[in-house]
Amino acid sequence: MGLFQNRPTVQGKKVVPVWFMRQAGRYHSHYQNIKKDSNFMQMCKDPNLACEITMGPIMDFDFDAAILFSDLLFPLERLGMGLSYESGPPTLEHHLHGPDDLKKLHTQKNFTYDFQGEATKNIRKALPPSKDLLGFTGAPFTLYAYACEGAHSGGLIHAKQGLYSGLYERFLELIEAEIIEQLSIQAAAGADALCLFDTAAGELTLDDYQRFSIPSIRRVAQALKKKFPSTRIIYYSKQTHLNYLQLIESKDIDVLGIDWRVNLRDALSLLGKDYYIQGNLDPAYLFLPWPILQQKLEGIFKLAIESKCGADKWIMGLGHGVMQKTPESNVKNAVKYIHENFLYR
Ligand code: CP3
């Protein structure tokens, strides 16, 4: 099913498409079976494994889009920051605390993003043509937060100091080029849309978000649109309220992914004329008993229908990623329910 135009119809009505961030992950037995014999880094870097993992939730749950199985921190590895997943969550060998630390960064010429390009090509071959393929990486500020702190939340003291010491500005020169190169490889290999995940965005004040983050997002989106005019750009941000989202004003961004704190009806009414809106079921709702989860799904559909532009500019999704230990049956039932009941016009 197309996420954008050409949405299929059931009984003469259009169907709202759906995909979830982290739809291929630890909650899924398919993923766990592959993980038994490989570690996370291998799973990302072996294009055959990455393809197999990406296809798991398409085969088992029938999502309308596949998202490349990978991670968003590889640009930091390419800059020589020593990325590892050995102890579980991602770790970096060193962090940036001031402008002098930038001297430690060097683009590793022997590190390319080709493993993502190869995986994308494999997925494109395996995926039914009616389903969209999404590539992704981190948005500039989120990668910066990781480079400074090794995390995307918390006090972010070093990261916030660096906004005013010249560190951020100079880091952007390096990271924007990496993001553009990485996403270009994914687009050239067949990605229909490219996601920029900005999980750290909402840690910024509105003023700092406007001054430091938005210009960089706009530059990256513009550069990608110039190279790949028909590739859609999806920008997800967490803990950004409507007043943040309103300031983005980028004609190069096609979709805004929103988190569960935003009212979907308001987001669609206010921003639906300029963007598709994706979201925004609370991922914790996927742990509820099915009858309650079903009510939550009914509720979110109602919000979209009640909005000024209806469901035509809506892509169903979560307000963040699928969590570990989410019951698989709820994911399966939710996608089925959406396909059978999120019908409009
Ligand atoms: O959506 C998909 O199915 C594609 C895969 C995907 C992963 N990470 C796989 C993954 C995507 C889109 C991401 C995005 C990502 N990665 C983000 C942005 C979204 C978000 O969650 O905020 C961020 C910040 C990261 C960085 C990262 N990678 C973290 C914080 C972790 C630890 C996560 C945790 O829950 O412990 C990872 C590891 C990671 N990335 C896993 C997966 C499936 C778990 C690895 C494992 O232990 O098997």
Side-chain angles (χ1 to χ4, degrees):
M1 184 187 309
L3 293 186
F4 305 102
Q5 277 117 19
N6 309 324
R7 292 182 169 191
T9 53
V10 171
Q11 295 147 10
K13 292 191 163 195
K14 292 190 190 184
V15 188
V16 177
V18 55
W19 67 274
F20 291 167
M21 188 199 294
R22 297 237 179 130
Q23 62 192 23
R26 286 169 295 184
Y27 77 99
H28 193 190
S29 48
H30 178 268
Y31 177 90
Q32 292 295 359
N33 278 335
I34 297 172
K35 187 135 192 231
K36 268 192 253 157
D37 305 316
S38 338
N39 66 45
F40 181 71
M41 200 59 124
Q42 282 171 321
M43 288 155 77
C44 291
K45 291 198 174 164
D46 177 332
N48 293 324
L49 273 184
C51 173
E52 196 184 336
I53 299 164
T54 304
M55 291 303 293
I58 305 296
M59 301 312 220
D60 288 356
F61 310 128
D62 196 28
F63 283 105
D64 299 301
I67 174 160
L68 168 69
F69 179 77
S70 203
D71 200 33
L72 55 66
L73 297 173
F74 290 114
L76 302 183
E77 185 176 19
R78 180 139 197 257
L79 289 175
M81 295 197 73
L83 175 66
S84 159
Y85 296 90
E86 288 303 313
S87 54
T91 55
L92 297 167
E93 267 165 25
H94 55 93
H95 296 151
L96 308 179
H97 287 173
D100 280 353
D101 294 333
L102 288 165
K103 291 188 198 124
K104 295 186 203 154
L105 301 189
H106 299 284
T107 305
Q108 315 288 298
K109 290 292 175 210
N110 56 353
F111 180 113
T112 72
Y113 301 111
D114 289 346
F115 62 98
Q116 294 186 332
E118 290 309 308
T120 305
K121 283 185 204 158
N122 291 349
I123 302 162
R124 188 67 278 175
K125 272 187 227 145
L127 194 67
S130 59
K131 300 204 188 264
D132 285 316
L133 172 51
L134 316 178
F136 77 97
T137 193
F141 180 71
T142 290
L143 289 172
Y144 168 74
Y146 266 98
C148 295
E149 315 277 350
H152 61 242
S153 58
L156 303 188
I157 308 287
H158 296 293
K160 290 185 178 182
Q161 279 179 315
L163 295 175
Y164 296 91
S165 70
L167 171 64
Y168 178 67
E169 222 177 310
R170 283 156 61 193
F171 178 77
L172 281 188
E173 288 169 19
L174 299 169
I175 207 70
E176 286 180 13
E178 292 301 324
I179 293 171
I180 292 163
E181 179 170 344
Q182 182 185 18
L183 292 182
S184 296
I185 286 173
Q186 297 175 17
D192 301 295
L194 303 167
C195 312
L196 287 164
F197 290 129
D198 210 354
T199 315
E203 302 293 330
L204 290 171
T205 64
L206 185 63
D207 279 351
D208 284 349
Y209 182 65
Q210 181 171 27
R211 175 172 163 195
F212 295 110
S213 182
I214 291 178
S216 178
I217 297 157
R218 283 196 196 130
R219 277 194 298 274
V220 168
Q222 189 181 25
L224 289 165
K225 258 284 145 67
K226 208 168 159 203
K227 287 172 85 172
F228 302 96
S230 59
T231 306
R232 308 284 188 150
I233 309 283
I234 299 174
Y235 172 73
Y236 165 81
S237 55
K238 189 169 174 224
Q239 287 191 17
T240 44
H241 299 273
L242 283 174
N243 50 345
Y244 284 63
L245 299 170
Q246 264 181 298
L247 292 172
I248 296 169
E249 292 185 321
S250 167
K251 61 175 177 19
D252 302 305
I253 293 175
D254 300 276
V255 184
L256 293 182
I258 58 173
D259 90 3
W260 64 90
R261 297 162 183 88
V262 179
N263 180 289
L264 180 68
R265 181 182 50 221
D266 295 345
L268 274 164
S269 295
L270 191 69
L271 297 161
K273 63 181 189 324
D274 300 321
Y275 308 93
Y276 286 82
I277 301 295
Q278 167 147 23
N280 67 341
L281 191 80
D282 184 342
Y285 285 172
L286 289 173
F287 287 81
L288 292 169
W290 171 253
I292 307 178
L293 174 55
Q294 187 181 319
Q295 282 169 22
K296 298 295 184 190
L297 291 168
E298 277 166 25
I300 200 169
F301 180 61
K302 191 160 172 275
L303 287 176
I305 293 296
E306 284 169 3
S307 75
K308 241 190 238 163
C309 62
D312 225 16
K313 298 294 283 295
W314 179 40
I315 299 165
M316 172 61 188
L318 302 179
H320 193 197
V322 185
M323 291 191 274
Q324 195 179 3
K325 300 204 164 74
T326 296
E328 254 186 69
S329 59
N330 270 351
V331 174
K332 192 180 177 87
N333 288 338
V335 176
K336 185 168 182 281
Y337 182 85
I338 291 160
H339 284 158
E340 288 172 359
N341 295 281
F342 283 21
L343 309 178
Y344 64 98
R345 278 222 305 241

